[in-house]
Every structure is written in C-alpha cells, then in structure tokens.
Amino acid sequence: MKKFAGRYNIICFLAIAMLSLVLFFGNSRNILAAYEGGAVSNGGTITGTVKIAGDAPEAKTLKVDKDQATCGHDDIPSEALIVSGDSAIKNAVVSITKISKGKKFEGGTTTIDQKGCVFIPHVSMVPPGSTIELLNSDDIMHNLHSWSMKNTAFNEGVTGHGKLPKTFEFPETIKITCDVHKWMTSWLIVQENPYYAITGADGKFKLEGVPAGTYTVQAWQESLGKTTQEVTVSAGGEAKADFELEEKSKKKRKRKRK
Amino acid sequence: MKKEEEKSYVGLYIILSFILAVTNVWALWNEIVGKRPWKEYQARYYDLEYDNAKKKYDDAVLAFEQQDEQDLYKAVEQKLDKAKNEFEKPKIQLKYKKILDELRALDKNELAPLTFESIVTRNKMMEAEYQYGKHKYLHGTRNREESKRNILELDDKSKKLAEKIKLVEEKRVELQSGLDRFKGAITKYTKELESHSSNMLNYKETMVKLESRRPQLQVYQVHLEELNEVDRCMSCHVGIDKKESVSEEQPYALHPRKDVYLDNHPPERFGCALCHEGQARATTSPKKAHGEVEYWLEPMHKGKVAQSSCVKCHDRGEELVGGEEIWKAIKLVEELGCYGCHPIEGFDKDKNSMIGPDLVEISSKVNPAWLVSWLQGPKSFRSSTRMPDFKLNEDDAIAITSYLWQNSEGFEPGELEEFDEETVEEGAFIFESIGCLACHSDVEEDGKIHGPNLARIGEKMNYEYLVSWLLEPKNHQPRTKMPDLRLDEEDAKYVAAFLTSLKSGYLEVLSSEEFLTDEKTAGRGKDLVNRYGCFGCHKIQGMEEKTKIGVELSEIGSKHIHLFDFGLLEKELLHGVGLESSHENIGEARRAWLRAKLTDPRQFDEGRYKRPEDKLRMPDFNLTKDEIETLLVLLTGMREGDLPESYIAKLEGEKRSLVEGKRVIDKFNCMGCHQFSIDTLHLKDGVVAKGMVKLEDEENLYFQLWEDNEGLGRKAGETMQIANEDIKSMSRSEGGDIGEFIIDYHVEVEGRVAEEAKVFTPPVLYGEGKKVQGPWLFDFLEEPVALRPWLDVRMPTFKMTEDEATVLARYFAALEKEEYPYEYIAETKEKYLEEKEKEKPGYLTMAEHLFKSKNVNCASCHVRGDITPEGEPADWAPDLSKARDRLKPDWIVNWLLDPQLIQPGTKMPKFFREGVFQDIFPGTPDEQAVALKDLLMNLPDEMLKQQADESESEEEE
Ligand SMILES: [Cu+2]
C-alpha cells in the first residue's frame, strides 16, 4: 500500500513538473498567451458561402504511376480544387485572423490517415500544441513529409499499418505530402483560435459563438490563395459574409516536352 | 692707455660667464625638456590613466550610495547578522561543536593512523621491489620467491588500506557538509555582501596602485634585431597596447582593433614602423618621428593606408581580417585587369583565364555597327562592363573595327532572323531553368557581374555564332570562364533565339559597311591598336607576341617622387593634400599624383603641347572615389625590399588549401548556384546558433538548427522561435543565389509551397567534404554527370585544369578537416565483410532484406544501375550504384539515421527508429543503418541488373 502511495506521489510530482515546464516554455514564447478561451454569452454567428470567381475550371485528375497494386490502376480525382455546379468551393478554410478572447478551443482533427494512397481528410485543423496521429492504413510504406516553416519539419517513413504521432506548436498552414507517391497531398492548419470552418461541397460555412465586435475574416483555399473581409457581429446576431476567390493568372513558361 | 696689469676684465668676464651660464642652462633645458616631448606625453598619459580609474571608482561609490543599493546592502547585512546570531545560539553551538569534535576525532583517531600506515606500507613495498630486483641478480630463486610473496602481501594490504581510507574520507565529507550547513547562511550572505562592494574596492585598489607606483618617465624602445631597426614610438604612444582605453586622443589612444592588429603582431617583435613606416627612432618631435619631414622616404602610414604593409609579409591571395581594404584593392585590380597593360608582380598568374575576350573571330561574332558604337563608350552599352573608355571618336572606332574585321576569321553571318514568340519563350524557359541566371542577367544592370549582362545582347551577337558558342564555348574562346552546359543543338538554338530577341533599340544602323574591307582604314586602325595596346587584354591576330604597353607597377610605392610627371597640376594637386612641395611628405605627394591619375588618367596633358603619339593613353575606368582610395592603399604597398624570411607569413597546409580553393570557387562562381555555408545567429545572452532562418516576421524569426545547441537546449533539426530583440547579430549563409529564381518558378507556375520548391535548387555544399570521397569529387569536377534526376538546373562542365579540380577537391576536404586525397575505406575490403559475417552470420543477406523490405523499399524511389523505379524520371532518386565510389561510409550512416539533419527538406525520409524492423534485421537503428551502408558499399551485381530481381517483379504482378 505504501509502495503504491509513493508511486502516486511521483506521478503527481512529474505531472506538475511537466505542466509547469509546458507553461514556462509556452509563456516564454508567447504561444499560450495568444488566445484566451472562456465562456461567451450571447455570441453571434457568421455565415456565408465561398465561391470561385468566374467559370468553374475543369476538374483535374492525378495519375497513379506507382504501387498500383495498393493505390489502384485508375487516375485519382484531384482534391486541389473541387468546385460544384454553382461555383461553390469545397475544402476552403474560413477563419477569424486575429481574436484574443472568445469561446473555449475544443476539438480539431485527431488523425490523418493514408488509405489507398490518399490522405484522409484532405484538409484538417488542430489547435496549437496538439498532437495528431498520422496513420498509414495501407500495406505499403508511405512517407510523411511536412513542409512547415515554424514547426519543426519532419520527413519519416511510416510502415504499412503503422502510425506516427506529431505535435504542432505554432499556428501555421502546413502542406504534408508523401514523396513516394507524388500525388498524395494534405493540408494541416494549426489554427490560432476556435473560429474556423472548413467548407463542405456546398461551399457553406458557419462560425458560431463569436463575441460581438468587428473582425477580419479570411477565406483560404490551397489553389486559390486567400482573401479577407471585415465583418461586424452583434450580440446574438447573425452576420453574413460571402467570399469569392479568384484563380491566379500563372506565369507563362511552359515545360519543354521531353 | 692703461697698463695691461691695471686693466680689469671683470665686466667682460661677468658677461661671458653669464652667457656661458645661460647657454648651459639652455642646453640643459633643451636636453632634458625641449628635445624630449615624450616626457610630457607620458606624464599626461599617466594622469589620464589615474583620472580614468578615479572616475570609475567615483561612479562605483555613487552607485553604491544610491538608496536602492543601500537598502539592498543593509538588508543583506541584517540577514548576515541574523545568521550570525542564529549560529551563536548555545543550542546550535552545541550541535556544531559536537560535529566538529567528531570530525577532529575522526581525523586524529582514524584518518591519521590509516594514512600513516598507508605511507609505511608504500615505503615497505618500494623497498621490497628494490630487494626483488637485487635478488634477481645475486641470490637464488628461493629468496626471490619469498620477496615476491612479500610484495604481493604488501600490495594486498595497501589496497585494503586504500579502501578503508576511502570509507573514512566519505564519512569525513559527510561531517564537513554537516558543518557547512550550519555556516551556510553566513557564507552566503558574506559573499552577497562582498558582491555589492567588490566593484568599488577593486577600483579603489587600482587607483591607489596607479597613484603610488607611477612608472618613471623613460624612452620605451623596441629593438628589431633581424632588421636592425630601433622603434621608439611607444615612448609617446604609451597607451597603445594597454588593456583599456583612457582617451580617444593621440598619442594617448589605444590601437584600434587591437585584438586583430597588435595581438597578432606583438609590438615587441614587430615594432610600429613595420606597418606604419615613419622615422621610428626619432624622439625629438612628433613630425620627425612620423617621418613628415623633407626628403624622408617613408612618411608614416595613417589609418587605412597602414594596410598597405600587410602584403609585405602576407600572401596576396589571402583575405585577411584587418586587411579588408587591401583585399578589396587586390580584387579590384583583378577585376579591372590592370595587369593587362601594366606588369605587376604577383598578378596575372592564372594562365587559364583572360581579361578580355579573344578577338580572332570577332567578325563572325558581332554586328559591326555594335562594335563601332561600343568602342566609343563601352559603358553606355553595358554599364557593368570592365572594358574601360578609351575616349575614341567615331573615326578611330571605325578604323579599329576595320582592322579587327580584316584580322579575324569566321563565317558569313546569315540574314537577320526573326523568331516566333513560342521559340523565344521556349528559349527563355531553358535559359531560366538550366542555370544561366547564376552568372548572367537578362534584365538591365542588377548587380550580377560574374558573366556579362545580357539585357541587350541581341543587338551585339550573331545568332549562328551564339548557337555554336553555347554548344561549346571553349571552342571559340579557349580561356573563357563560360562553362559548357552540355546543351543539345535544339536547346542551343532555342536559347540563342531567346538571346537574340533581347534588344533595346540602342543601335543605329551603319550608313555604309565599306570601311570593313578598306585597307587604308585598317592601317590606321592598326596604329591605334598598337598605340592603345588592345592586345594587353585581347587576343588579336598577328599581335600575339606584343608586350604590355604600361609602366610596371610592382614597385610603384617606392618610385622616386621626381619621376612622377605632375605637368602643370603640381601646385594644385599638392595644395589639395596640404603640401607646399612634394618633399614635405613624399608619401602623400605620391598618392596625390596617383589619385589624380586614376580619377582622370589623361589630365596631366592639360595645357601642354604634346605630339599626338606622346599623349597619355591610359583609358578611363570610371572609378568611384572609394575605389580609388582603396587602390591607393595597394599601390602604396607595392614597394621594393624584402623582409627577412622569419617575418613572412607563409601560406601553408590547411590555410593554403582554403585560400586556393576559394580562389577557384570565385573564378567559376560556384556560389552563384551552390550554398556553401549556413546562417550563424549571435544571441544577446552569448549563445551562438548555427542553422538556417526559415521565416522572419515582425517580432520573431523561425530558425532551424543544423547543429545541436547546448546553450538553447535544442537538437539539430529542430525549428525554434527566436525573438528579434534577443538577437545581437547574424551572419548569413553564402552562395546559392540562383535559388530564388528556381523557387519562384516552382511556386508561381507549379503552385508549390516555397519550402517544397527548394528541392529544385542546386545542392547545398555545406559539409560536402564529409560527404563525398576526394577522388570521386575530382573526377566529377572534371567530367560532371547528372546525379539528381529531378533537377532542371544543371552542373556545367567547366573544363577546369587538373590543378583547379585538385585544389577544389582539397578545399572541401580541408574545410571539414578530412583526409585528402588518400583515405582508407575499410568497407570495400574483403576482410571487413568476413568479420561482419563472422559476428552476425548472413549479415549482408539480412541487410539486403532490409533494403528490399516493403517498408523501406529503397528501390521504390532510387535508381540502381540498370534498374529504374516506377513513375517519371523526374521523381526518381539518385542512383545507388554510385554510392560506393562517391560517398563516405560515415556520411551514409548519418544520412540514413536522419536525412533531415544533413539536408533539411530532402525527400529522403527517416526510416530507422528504435524497435522497428526487428524481424528483418534485429538491432538498434545505428546497427541497421550501418548494415545498409555496408550493403551500399558492396552492392552485389545481381542487385543492379533488371532480370535478376525476382521479388520485385513478383510484387508487380
Ligand atoms: Cu505514399
């Protein structure tokens, strides 16, 4: 019995030590101080749709030229830009860019899977400081390569049916690829605050529990970039904000046929 | 008339005595005071030194007397008193005494006897050993056996004693720390109290010392034995090499950048005049000592000019800390090609280079209208050109063009071609992606000067020549730096089409081209070419044997002032530097002339009658004032006379390898493509971090460490946020300039993120010496092959000399302190594998299984000899069959363990973590990586040939 108590003490001590360490480092680098979550009474809502300006581009496909036994023989539809009939954009991320106080930050993606040589989900979101499990449900090796700038970048091979837990400290939009299968791309948004939404196929979004005030709201999509607008939310009210993203005109330089 | 004996000379005597006395007094005064101005300087210096110490002391007292400080001090004092009182309490004292008694008893009753016994035993042992040696020679075996037994016994005893002593000492330490604990608070507060007043007390001590022990006023003299020179400068400049500065004013000041100049050249060995010149033995006046007197040949070098002396001892190829100015000057002379006309010792050593292009094919290379215009003012066509302005008029330009045309070989340029937009675009794409931008620019002057600016090249060059030139530059200009990019003809045509399209409407069309074939015009041109010495920089048919036309500059810094022809400008130029005549300060006068010459080379002709052929010929280089001052430092330093061997800083060993290597790197502009070093951050708290800045924002930067950092408590590979306000300074990585263009392309056109686009930039060469084998690097430099299938940018074939390739390979090895050229590679020897197999039977087969395992699957991305992976070639990884001869074994292991640490961003993933692949190759990640390395160093033939690989074909089915 005594033995158990001793161990319990140690665990308690360790936990407190860890917590204070985290707090210490966190505070020293001003991350935890960035957003303060709490109860929001009578919060407002921001809703709207994200659409593409002009004609919807043709849907693209990705060629599977490797490991076809697992990845399949057919081309895979590209998720880089999914536009529905009425120009609505899927997988756009709408968020409030700067807000220091608001509702509690909960949830976020817990796993990103690689299945059939596709990342699922294609776009995901976590709060800063969270740990996410990167899975490989296939029977072949995938590598997970994060092209991050603020968070420590990694590139590790993950065995078939293996997993790789990773922690993300700083808010950032991170592209994650598998370099073995070049068509595999995923986006992880380490989001500063809980006011974000990933649009569905209908391009619609809803940000809830927003304290009354005026905010800069941003819509971002991996192929179209971002745009922002000012939105004013009243207590308990609903503000509307529709976004139109434009396809960037690309530099003209073609690749020589080989 | 009085009789002689009645005359009185008293008056005269008194007067004469008086004069004598006055003279004596004057002589004495002059000797002691007048001729010894240094006495006054020295006295003043010591005053300043004392004042400085006093000021510091006063400041410290003031600081100490501040209320805050006093409060703190008093508080500590109280704590100390309290601690003392606490200690004095009978109860504590009793305990303390008890432990103290215990300790003393321990010392007396246990430790002392044991120590004594141990000494006795050791002595006995020494005696026994001595006896044993004696017995060996004198007595029988019985005695020896006995004494041996004796020794062993004693040894045993001393070991036991040592153990006992150890135990007692441990006990003692325990007791002592118990005692310390009682006095802990007292010790702590006493120290704290001292720390508050220590500054003040230290300063006071210094001050008192300076006051009571002031040195006697005396001449400080250095005798440079080997040079037989006496140097007395420090008699006035007393403070020149002191630790601390007491005044900014001369002669009391400290030497600027003392750590560089004086610490590396201690005055007792080098004196001052070795660098500064002047008349160092003179002590009677500053002017005399500084050599600023008539006819003194070497007046003092002040300020930057002192750097002119660096080259007395240091190799001109070495970039010296503290020699920044003279290094700039040396680079400038090389860039301007001064030695094309002026012989200068030590320059023009690289025979595999040229100053200006060969003109033997000029007629097929350029448009004649361009040449006529160019000759009249090269800088108006291309402001960055090194070709100077010869101030030729149109007639002269036409004559020279005519001569060059008739003395060059070539083909008839075809009709001017126009290319469609698509062809030009394709050419632009190749131009931008293959690497041309590392040296050239296709927009107006943007500072890139390694290769000519090409913004208007279409107006100059013929298309056919360009195509042929691009295909093999050395075919046309054997000494050109322009490398061969191994273009095929189709690509060369595209690029040439693009280049021909770069025009700005700069040229006027020639009214007639008849002069090109006119012999009389050519004759006049020949005279002009001879007069201006064009052949000094350019190869011209029929003029290959001509010698340089300029004055030799090797000893210009010692050239007699009478030999400089000031023309009518003497007064004006000398007044400009505050001189009445050139003798007053020969050095300044010489520099005034050189300055004027470099500013406007032909101005000395002004106002004088000269026959045309006698007129000055030097062209105008359009130098800035700063450039001229820089050049003057070098010209001042080019003097006659050598120092003794022992003073010469020979360039040897590793340093030499680095200096020579850097020269070749600059010559071929390796840094235009490759990054050679990484960023270094100096933080305010003294921590130095090596890595790369990944992102900068207003408040922070995100820094990826490339090396473990104890100060930060972070490992290599980690990215950390560092607040800008914590950063003291940063030195940026060098090289890799083309990277931004490539990244830009892949971001803009392919929509990648910038970090990802970095993969397409030329490889970083930081740590290359640790990575590749010397002989392989040598071969590669001589004959590059494509290693990275995903790169569009291409390592060109430089056709460097064997010497240059050796120098480069040695440079990379020296940088990493690696062996070169011979390095023993054990892995490829039979014995190595035999031993591995003995340790772990089936070693290489197991490694092969790891290599092929579906969760490592090297072949999924890597080429292996004949076998290529699935997918497009641009997605393949380097050929593993090359590893054996190319890579260093240790590097392979480190690479396999964590590729991101060596090349952040690489697509090569990390595979080996603790506990994985145990069913295939049991062992630690380290052992697994070593096994794969051993396999790569010994890849069996059947793994490099398609048909033999069954497992893979099975998987495919
Ligand atoms: Cu994959």
Side-chain angles (χ1 to χ4, degrees):
Chain A
M1 204 57 212
K2 210 182 165 192
K3 214 175 178 182
F4 172 75
R7 198 179 287 167
Y8 186 74
N9 275 342
I10 286 175
I11 290 170
C12 268
F13 169 72
L14 275 178
I16 290 167
M18 289 294 278
L19 194 69
S20 47
L21 253 175
V22 165
L23 281 170
F24 171 71
F25 279 115
N27 281 325
S28 67
R29 271 189 250 112
N30 292 325
I31 344 161
L32 294 187
Y35 179 79
E36 198 182 311
V40 172
S41 62
N42 205 16
T45 313
I46 304 174
T47 57
T49 317
V50 184
K51 290 189 172 179
I52 190 165
D55 299 331
E58 253 176 71
K60 292 194 177 105
T61 55
L62 302 165
K63 198 169 152 44
V64 175
D65 56 5
K66 236 177 153 176
D67 289 324
Q68 292 180 343
T70 308
C71 305
H73 299 266
D74 303 328
D75 289 357
I76 294 177
S78 165
E79 289 177 277
L81 180 58
I82 303 173
V83 181
S84 71
D86 55 350
S87 300
I89 306 170
K90 192 185 170 184
N91 280 340
V93 178
V94 181
S95 58
I96 294 179
T97 55
K98 262 185 199 146
I99 179 167
S100 53
K101 243 176 160 175
K103 66 178 179 186
K104 248 196 195 148
F105 203 163
E106 283 164 331
T109 316
T110 49
T111 59
I112 299 178
D113 196 3
Q114 305 182 83
K115 204 171 183 180
C117 305
V118 173
F119 279 105
I120 301 167
H122 182 66
V123 178
S124 39
M125 205 292 316
V126 290
S130 23
T131 301
I132 190 166
E133 299 244 285
L134 301 159
L135 310 176
N136 176 4
S137 296
D138 288 330
D139 196 35
I140 50 168
M141 184 265 296
H142 291 297
N143 76 306
L144 281 158
H145 193 168
S146 83
W147 301 96
S148 52
M149 304 292 277
K150 296 182 176 178
N151 293 287
T152 295
F154 55 85
N155 176 7
E156 298 188 34
V158 187
T159 55
H161 307 292
K163 65 180 175 191
L164 187 71
K166 285 284 168 191
T167 305
F168 299 88
E169 237 180 320
F170 303 107
E172 185 185 6
T173 299
I174 304 170
K175 185 174 183 178
I176 296 177
T177 61
C178 166
D179 301 322
V180 181
H181 310 105
K182 62 167 177 181
W183 62 87
M184 296 178 63
T185 301
S186 169
W187 294 87
L188 174 66
I189 289 110
V190 185
Q191 171 68 32
E192 214 161 354
N193 60 64
Y195 298 104
Y196 76 95
I198 302 172
T199 58
D202 58 1
K204 287 206 163 65
F205 71 88
K206 190 174 189 182
L207 304 176
E208 287 172 305
V210 185
T214 303
Y215 303 100
T216 307
V217 180
Q218 172 187 287
W220 171 88
Q221 201 278 337
E222 55 176 290
S223 302
L224 304 175
K226 62 188 173 192
T227 177
T228 58
Q229 57 174 287
E230 298 274 299
V231 179
T232 303
V233 185
S234 57
E238 188 182 316
K240 264 242 166 253
D242 291 329
F243 290 89
E244 261 201 353
L245 288 166
E246 222 171 312
E247 219 173 350
K248 286 175 283 183
S249 59
K250 281 178 179 171
K251 236 193 203 173
K252 218 173 105 193
R253 280 281 185 266
K254 60 184 181 310
R255 194 159 275 268
K256 201 184 161 195
R257 60 273 161 198
K258 288 206 170 153
Chain B
M1 197 109 175
K2 272 189 184 175
K3 276 186 188 168
E4 194 59 30
E5 51 269 41
E6 285 169 10
K7 281 183 190 164
S8 169
Y9 289 98
V10 173
L12 190 64
Y13 180 75
I14 288 175
I15 292 167
L16 285 178
S17 304
F18 182 72
I19 292 173
L20 188 65
V22 169
T23 316
N24 269 332
V25 169
W26 174 81
L28 215 62
W29 181 87
N30 189 35
E31 182 58 33
I32 296 170
V33 184
K35 282 188 170 173
R36 300 184 181 191
W38 48 268
K39 278 191 169 174
E40 206 174 305
Y41 291 136
Q42 268 182 32
R44 172 95 184 107
Y45 176 79
Y46 295 128
D47 286 347
L48 285 169
E49 203 179 25
Y50 175 78
D51 292 348
N52 181 52
K54 184 162 185 321
K55 189 174 176 302
K56 276 191 176 165
Y57 170 67
D58 290 347
D59 288 350
V61 170
L62 212 63
F64 182 67
E65 280 168 357
Q66 290 290 312
Q67 198 55 51
D68 298 0
E69 179 71 10
Q70 279 296 313
D71 290 349
L72 272 174
Y73 189 78
K74 294 240 167 74
V76 180
E77 228 170 17
Q78 273 168 13
K79 279 185 194 160
L80 180 61
D81 282 344
K82 215 174 136 195
K84 276 181 181 160
N85 284 339
E86 183 71 20
F87 183 64
E88 293 299 333
K89 277 185 188 159
K91 213 172 121 193
I92 302 282
Q93 279 293 313
L94 212 65
K95 280 187 190 163
Y96 184 79
K97 286 254 165 65
K98 197 183 150 220
I99 302 182
L100 192 66
D101 288 345
E102 259 179 65
L103 184 76
R104 283 186 181 143
L106 188 76
D107 278 351
K108 198 176 156 197
N109 304 335
E110 293 188 43
L111 196 58
L114 277 172
T115 319
F116 179 72
E117 206 182 341
S118 145
I119 293 169
V120 170
T121 317
R122 203 176 63 219
N123 289 345
K124 274 189 187 160
M125 184 125 140
M126 277 158 75
E127 195 193 336
E129 276 167 358
Y130 172 71
Q131 290 294 343
Y132 178 77
K134 233 163 113 187
H135 289 315
K136 196 170 171 186
Y137 298 105
L138 297 179
H139 306 285
T141 36
R142 202 176 60 85
N143 275 337
R144 282 181 61 196
E145 279 303 313
E146 204 172 291
S147 56
K148 194 174 174 185
R149 209 176 317 119
N150 194 10
I151 290 175
L152 288 176
E153 271 166 22
L154 284 168
D155 192 40
D156 199 39
K157 192 176 170 194
S158 76
K159 269 183 197 150
K160 275 180 188 149
L161 276 171
E163 255 167 60
K164 273 187 196 160
I165 290 177
K166 204 178 145 207
L167 281 177
V168 174
E169 269 173 352
E170 272 167 18
K171 210 165 153 195
R172 194 181 187 282
V173 167
E174 214 171 286
L175 287 172
Q176 184 65 52
S177 72
L179 286 180
D180 291 345
R181 227 171 290 142
F182 282 106
K183 280 190 150 177
I186 297 183
T187 326
K188 187 182 152 207
Y189 293 127
T190 311
K191 267 193 192 153
E192 210 176 318
L193 218 51
E194 274 170 12
S195 78
H196 282 276
S197 57
S198 66
N199 252 353
M200 198 167 63
L201 297 179
N202 284 342
Y203 289 135
K204 183 163 188 182
E205 202 180 315
T206 323
M207 194 175 77
V208 170
K209 217 192 275 169
L210 283 174
E211 197 176 22
S212 63
R213 270 181 264 155
R214 175 172 291 213
Q216 213 181 0
L217 303 185
Q218 57 187 298
V219 169
Y220 291 106
Q221 167 174 305
V222 176
H223 180 217
L224 310 179
E225 249 173 66
E226 280 173 275
L227 300 167
N228 200 22
E229 297 265 2
V230 167
D231 197 305
R232 293 171 182 153
C233 308
M234 281 153 64
S235 304
C236 295
H237 296 273
V238 208
I240 203 82
D241 67 338
K242 293 282 179 345
K243 278 202 189 89
E244 196 185 354
S245 160
V246 298
S247 167
E248 297 292 310
E249 199 190 328
Q250 291 295 5
Y252 316 109
L254 191 70
H255 199 288
R257 293 174 79 185
K258 176 174 163 273
D259 54 328
V260 176
Y261 294 115
L262 295 196
D263 293 359
N264 291 326
H265 310 88
E268 46 293 358
R269 168 146 170 74
F270 290 88
C272 304
L274 212 58
C275 302
H276 286 284
E277 300 298 341
Q279 193 180 182
R281 64 170 68 208
T283 52
T284 48
S285 89
K287 264 204 171 308
K288 280 185 192 159
H290 292 168
E292 286 158 352
V293 287
E294 279 200 294
Y295 303 111
W296 188 257
L297 287 177
E298 305 284 3
M300 188 186 158
H301 294 162
K302 292 177 177 170
K304 283 179 184 169
V305 181
Q307 289 183 27
S308 64
S309 301
C310 298
V311 288
K312 275 182 173 177
C313 305
H314 291 281
D315 193 286
R316 283 187 191 169
E318 190 182 356
E319 187 175 356
L320 296 166
V321 177
E324 293 82 6
E325 210 58 25
I326 200 150
W327 175 251
K328 262 196 269 170
I330 290 166
K331 290 275 127 189
L332 200 54
V333 167
E334 283 174 355
E335 194 186 306
L336 298 171
C338 307
Y339 46 86
C341 293
H342 302 280
I344 316 175
E345 217 176 283
F347 286 92
D348 202 10
K349 281 193 282 198
D350 185 357
K351 296 299 167 203
N352 185 32
S353 71
M354 59 191 193
I355 302 172
D358 296 351
L359 303 181
V360 293
E361 291 179 345
I362 188 84
S363 62
S364 49
K365 176 177 168 186
V366 306
N367 168 2
W370 172 83
L371 185 52
V372 171
S373 148
W374 168 261
L375 285 167
Q376 292 173 67
K379 290 201 164 49
S380 56
F381 176 75
R382 184 191 287 146
S383 64
S384 62
T385 183
R386 55 153 76 184
M387 169 97 169
D389 187 357
F390 284 84
K391 316 252 181 211
L392 300 168
N393 58 30
E394 190 174 1
D395 272 356
D396 292 346
I398 282 180
I400 293 175
T401 305
S402 167
Y403 176 75
L404 293 176
W405 227 254
Q406 289 170 39
N407 287 281
S408 81
E409 58 195 52
F411 46 84
E412 266 303 300
E415 277 297 296
L416 226 58
E417 273 186 76
E418 287 292 325
F419 301 97
D420 57 40
E421 203 182 325
E422 206 176 320
T423 311
V424 169
E425 284 285 307
E426 188 62 50
F429 172 74
I430 300 170
F431 179 84
E432 282 178 13
S433 58
I434 209 157
C436 308
L437 287 169
C439 301
H440 299 281
S441 174
D442 57 340
V443 293
E444 293 283 347
E445 308 303 342
D446 63 351
K448 223 183 285 168
I449 54 157
H450 188 79
N453 181 286
L454 302 178
R456 300 172 172 181
I457 196 73
E459 263 153 314
K460 170 184 176 183
M461 300 280 269
N462 289 327
Y463 169 76
E464 274 96 0
Y465 180 88
L466 259 177
V467 173
S468 167
W469 161 259
L470 288 167
L471 281 172
E472 211 171 324
K474 293 233 182 213
N475 226 354
H476 295 279
Q477 307 266 354
R479 293 170 303 155
T480 182
K481 284 188 287 191
M482 166 92 174
D484 180 350
L485 277 140
R486 301 188 301 279
L487 296 172
D488 57 28
E489 197 165 336
E490 197 192 356
D491 285 348
K493 279 181 171 162
Y494 277 123
V495 176
F498 165 65
L499 292 175
T500 339
S501 78
L502 296 173
K503 287 182 185 163
S504 68
Y506 165 83
L507 275 190
E508 285 169 33
V509 184
L510 286 176
S511 51
S512 148
E513 291 198 355
E514 271 168 32
F515 69 87
L516 289 175
T517 47
D518 182 50
E519 272 180 40
K520 222 175 122 199
T521 315
R524 222 159 51 74
K526 184 178 184 180
D527 292 343
L528 285 166
V529 169
N530 273 322
R531 175 169 156 70
Y532 290 113
C534 309
F535 39 78
C537 299
H538 300 280
K539 189 175 169 194
I540 299 171
Q541 245 179 42
M543 292 191 165
E544 291 85 350
E545 301 305 320
K546 299 247 178 193
T547 51
K548 305 182 179 190
I549 64 158
V551 173
E552 165 142 20
L553 297 181
S554 306
E555 292 179 352
I556 185 85
S558 302
K559 188 170 168 179
H560 207 283
I561 192 70
H562 287 159
L563 300 174
F564 289 93
D565 179 6
F566 280 85
L568 305 176
L569 301 172
E570 182 159 4
K571 280 264 163 323
E572 187 188 322
L573 291 178
L574 292 177
H575 280 176
V577 291
L579 299 177
E580 281 302 321
S581 88
S582 57
H583 299 136
E584 266 176 54
N585 187 326
I586 292 176
E588 277 308 328
R590 198 187 280 125
R591 273 193 292 281
W593 188 90
L594 290 168
R595 189 180 291 118
K597 181 76 181 171
L598 290 167
T599 311
D600 182 356
R602 298 182 193 167
Q603 62 176 315
F604 300 102
D605 279 349
E606 266 166 43
R608 304 161 95 187
Y609 173 75
K610 272 189 168 181
R611 282 178 298 176
E613 61 269 33
D614 289 341
K615 285 197 171 166
L616 293 171
R617 313 174 272 190
M618 176 155 154
D620 190 349
F621 284 85
N622 237 324
L623 299 168
T624 65
K625 275 206 161 65
D626 282 349
E627 285 171 333
I628 291 172
E629 290 309 313
T630 301
L631 285 173
L632 290 182
V633 175
L634 178 63
L635 291 170
T636 303
M638 298 205 284
R639 275 177 291 168
E640 60 189 8
D642 292 319
L643 285 177
E645 195 70 359
S646 63
Y647 277 97
I648 306 300
K650 280 193 210 82
L651 198 53
E652 291 167 323
E654 188 190 302
K655 211 173 186 185
R656 186 189 185 86
S657 303
L658 296 180
V659 164
E660 286 181 342
K662 184 70 186 7
R663 202 181 169 79
V664 178
I665 286 165
D666 287 345
K667 176 176 176 182
F668 294 111
N669 197 25
C670 306
M671 288 195 191
C673 285
H674 297 286
Q675 184 187 325
F676 272 67
S677 56
I678 53 179
D679 295 338
T680 308
L681 270 188
H682 297 267
L683 301 182
K684 284 187 182 145
D685 59 4
V687 172
V688 178
K690 302 209 97 193
M692 288 300 288
V693 173
K694 289 193 78 173
L695 196 70
E696 284 169 88
D697 62 26
E698 281 156 26
E699 285 157 22
N700 303 297
L701 53 80
Y702 294 86
F703 193 76
Q704 182 167 35
L705 294 171
W706 283 42
E707 282 168 16
D708 291 351
N709 195 306
E710 256 177 53
L712 295 167
R714 296 295 200 101
K715 291 244 173 264
E718 289 182 49
T719 300
M720 56 185 301
Q721 191 187 46
I722 296 176
N724 289 338
E725 58 180 31
D726 292 340
I727 297 165
K728 195 171 96 194
S729 67
M730 166 160 49
S731 61
R732 294 278 187 175
S733 64
E734 282 182 295
D737 308 340
I738 200 176
E740 56 180 299
F741 293 101
I742 294 175
I743 292 171
D744 188 52
Y745 170 82
H746 289 276
V747 169
E748 291 292 324
V749 180
E750 294 181 348
R752 293 177 190 268
V753 294
E755 192 62 11
E756 197 183 7
K758 258 190 206 162
V759 170
F760 299 98
T761 60
V764 174
L765 297 185
Y766 175 73
E768 185 74 1
K770 277 201 172 69
K771 175 178 182 179
V772 298
Q773 297 176 25
W776 175 87
L777 183 56
F778 175 86
D779 287 346
F780 178 77
L781 289 167
E782 287 288 332
E783 215 176 324
V785 287
L787 294 167
R788 299 173 177 80
W790 62 92
L791 291 187
D792 289 326
V793 62
R794 195 178 279 184
M795 170 82 176
T797 307
F798 288 95
K799 304 231 166 83
M800 53 179 79
T801 63
E802 279 183 25
D803 205 34
E804 286 166 338
T806 310
V807 162
L808 268 186
R810 201 196 295 130
Y811 170 86
F812 285 111
L815 212 54
E816 305 297 332
K817 311 220 175 333
E818 293 273 312
E819 297 287 324
Y820 182 87
Y822 304 109
E823 190 176 16
Y824 183 72
I825 304 228
E827 281 80 352
T828 53
K829 313 293 177 290
E830 242 171 67
K831 207 174 135 219
Y832 177 87
L833 279 184
E834 272 170 23
E835 261 168 40
K836 285 278 179 184
E837 290 285 343
K838 217 186 281 169
E839 261 172 49
K840 211 167 197 165
Y843 181 72
L844 218 51
T845 318
M846 273 156 64
E848 200 178 320
H849 288 154
L850 194 58
F851 181 101
K852 287 181 175 166
S853 123
K854 73 176 169 55
N855 285 318
V856 177
N857 202 0
C858 308
S860 168
C861 298
H862 283 282
V863 178
R864 285 180 286 154
D866 282 355
I867 313 173
T868 56
E870 295 178 86
E872 283 172 27
D875 301 322
W876 296 347
D879 186 351
L880 294 179
S881 70
K882 293 201 167 92
R884 178 189 168 99
D885 295 322
R886 173 170 174 245
L887 299 173
K888 294 196 175 183
D890 288 349
W891 184 90
I892 298 181
V893 174
N894 288 332
W895 173 251
L896 288 168
L897 282 172
D898 201 340
Q900 296 293 322
L901 293 191
I902 297 178
Q903 226 181 83
T906 177
K907 288 194 171 180
M908 169 83 176
K910 165 179 169 175
F911 290 100
F912 305 114
R913 288 178 293 266
E914 212 59 61
V916 293
F917 310 126
Q918 295 302 315
D919 49 336
I920 308 168
F921 191 104
T924 61
D926 215 57
E927 286 164 339
Q928 292 167 340
V930 167
L932 263 196
K933 175 261 294 179
D934 288 337
L935 177 67
L936 288 171
M937 296 304 285
N938 296 287
L939 272 184
D941 272 348
E942 65 269 18
M943 281 182 74
L944 306 175
K945 287 195 189 89
Q946 191 72 61
Q947 67 277 16
D949 207 286
E950 289 156 28
S951 62
E952 202 176 52
S953 48
E954 260 173 24
E955 248 175 55
E956 265 176 4
E957 279 158 18

